[in-house]
Amino acid sequence: MSKENLKNYILVLGDSSMILGQRLGELCGHGPELETDIALTNISLDLFGQVRNYFQYAADVADDGCTEDDLAMLRLERDYKNALLVEQPNTDFAFVIARQFFYDVYHKLMMAALVNSKDRTLSAIAQKSIKEVRYHKDFSSTWMKRLGDGTGESHERLQFAVNELWRFAMDLFYETDVEKWAAKEGIAPDLKALKKEYIKEVKALCEEAKINIPEDEVFQYGGKEGRHSEYMGFILAEFQYMQRTFPNMKW
Amino acid sequence: MTAIDNIKNILQAVSDPEIPVLSIMDMGIVREVESRDDGSYLIYIIPTYSGCPAMDTIADDIVAELSKADIKAEVKQILSPAWTTDMITEKGRQALEDYGIAAPLEADMDKAALKGESNKVQCTNCGSKNTKMISKFGSTPCKALFRCNDCSEPFDYFKCFK
């Protein structure tokens, strides 16, 4: 049982970064300017690298013959445990930045806490990842301020993106059974404490960026338990295409 | 020379495919060389960045280079200790500069440089410190893009990573 729980907890950590990495990858060659194109795909690459570490570990833990590739490519939609936020589309650059910022703040807090995990592999992955995540957060925070406190147009569009995306942000902190188990075992941090810190940090930066966080939001939950938005199927259709068309192909 | 020193010596010839002038030994990627009972060796390497696509190539290159000397080896990637730019040797830093990539500064200087403060990173072309950051993310995850205000040359800066 604990083996299954640990594997599922690792997937909760890895899946959100993977789906966000895929979303950012869609921007390759389509970024609004060359430097941001390179930055967003660099971040995508960092995330995929981190996800490989998680999935290799999950495959080791499962010890049932599955590989990191099987975990990435061959699960069904309901078996993916990513939060709803990261599957939201690249509507425009403001959406890309707001989604990234909401994720980066969470991601950095999560990695800083996971360093203290009793699980030594997860702690090592967190120690490695946090250095990269710091850069991501720097990037998205800078753009939040630049767009939010920029022109009338950039402010309006970022405010609209924040209004649309904020309802998905709390899904990152929704505590699933497997996360409750992991917290009890000393493997995972306490999500409630992280959430408090998260809201404080997001609000402080948004204030600086002259952006309002919607009050009285009705939050959407369920991604980490496999209940995804409609977008997820389309992401997987592209993501899994090669493996579904040519099963077991290698490259 | 011990067998392990010999291996480390041979590995001086293996480089990061994205920075061909820098040997993986000077990069600090090779953490340990272990001899095994069957006469083969286990070589532990650590990734620079998690998503560094060069790691698989580097592992293949290590095995190929050692097999030229009839040494059997297996390469294993480990996560800990996490790589930092401090692991680049002095010789490695010089090789970077000669190649046209500015070597990483100390953490506080690096932060200032990446925040857009000028006069921190030295141009690899003309030596001027009158340079400007263009993008925090460069051609690979480990680099940022700079431009020299004096000679107008764009160049890569190897980000401090701790």
Side-chain angles (χ1 to χ4, degrees), chain B residues 54-124:
Chain B
M55 292 314 285
D56 291 339
T57 311
I58 289 172
D60 290 346
D61 290 350
I62 290 174
V63 173
E65 193 65 33
L66 290 174
S67 77
K68 281 191 218 160
D70 280 328
I71 298 168
K72 262 206 187 139
E74 193 190 331
V75 179
K76 206 173 164 197
Q77 234 190 86
I78 50 171
L79 288 165
S80 183
W83 181 82
T84 76
T85 35
D86 287 347
M87 293 178 185
I88 303 175
T89 62
E90 202 44 53
K91 191 172 136 232
R93 290 176 65 90
Q94 193 53 49
L96 279 175
E97 293 276 351
D98 293 344
Y99 187 58
I101 300 171
L105 296 169
E106 281 304 311
D108 50 336
M109 293 269 276
D110 174 88
K111 217 172 170 189
L114 291 176
K115 274 201 170 137
E117 285 175 33
S118 55
N119 305 329
K120 297 279 188 281
V121 177
Q122 194 166 14
C123 170
T124 53

Side-chain angles (χ1 to χ4, degrees), chain A residues 35-36 38-39 42-43 45-46 48-50 52-53 121 124-125 127-129 131-132 134-136 138-139 142, chain B residues 47-51 53 56 79-80 82-84 110 114 134-141 145 159-162:
Chain A
E35 285 77 13
T36 32
I38 292 171
N42 260 274
I43 293 172
L45 185 64
D46 281 346
F48 276 120
Q50 294 165 14
R52 275 195 76 182
N53 292 333
T121 308
I125 295 174
Q127 274 173 50
K128 179 92 201 126
S129 304
K131 301 166 193 233
E132 295 159 3
R134 256 186 231 132
Y135 262 98
H136 306 169
D138 238 39
F139 172 81
T142 309
Chain B
T48 50
Y49 280 68
S50 304
D56 291 339
L79 288 165
S80 183
W83 181 82
T84 76
D110 174 88
L114 291 176
I134 299 174
S135 172
K136 267 185 199 175
F137 294 85
S139 54
T140 63
L145 192 60
K159 294 185 277 205
C160 170
F161 195 63
K162 280 188 195 180

Side-chain angles (χ1 to χ4, degrees), chain A residues 36 70 90 101 109 159 187 209 244 246:
Chain A
T36 32
D70 298 338
N90 301 328
F101 172 68
L109 287 170
Q159 184 64 62
I187 296 168
R244 298 280 182 203
F246 305 103

Side-chain angles (χ1 to χ4, degrees), chain A residues 190-208:
Chain A
D190 173 17
L191 279 176
K192 283 186 214 76
L194 285 194
K195 182 174 165 180
K196 240 171 118 180
E197 187 56 36
Y198 178 84
I199 292 173
K200 210 171 90 190
E201 266 196 48
V202 166
K203 285 201 166 153
L205 194 284
C206 281
E207 197 172 323
E208 226 183 303

Side-chain angles (χ1 to χ4, degrees), chain A residues 228-247:
Chain A
H228 296 287
S229 60
E230 189 187 350
Y231 300 117
M232 190 64 183
F234 292 94
I235 295 173
L236 291 181
E238 187 177 5
F239 188 67
Q240 299 185 332
Y241 168 79
M242 288 298 255
Q243 276 299 328
R244 298 280 182 203
T245 312
F246 305 103

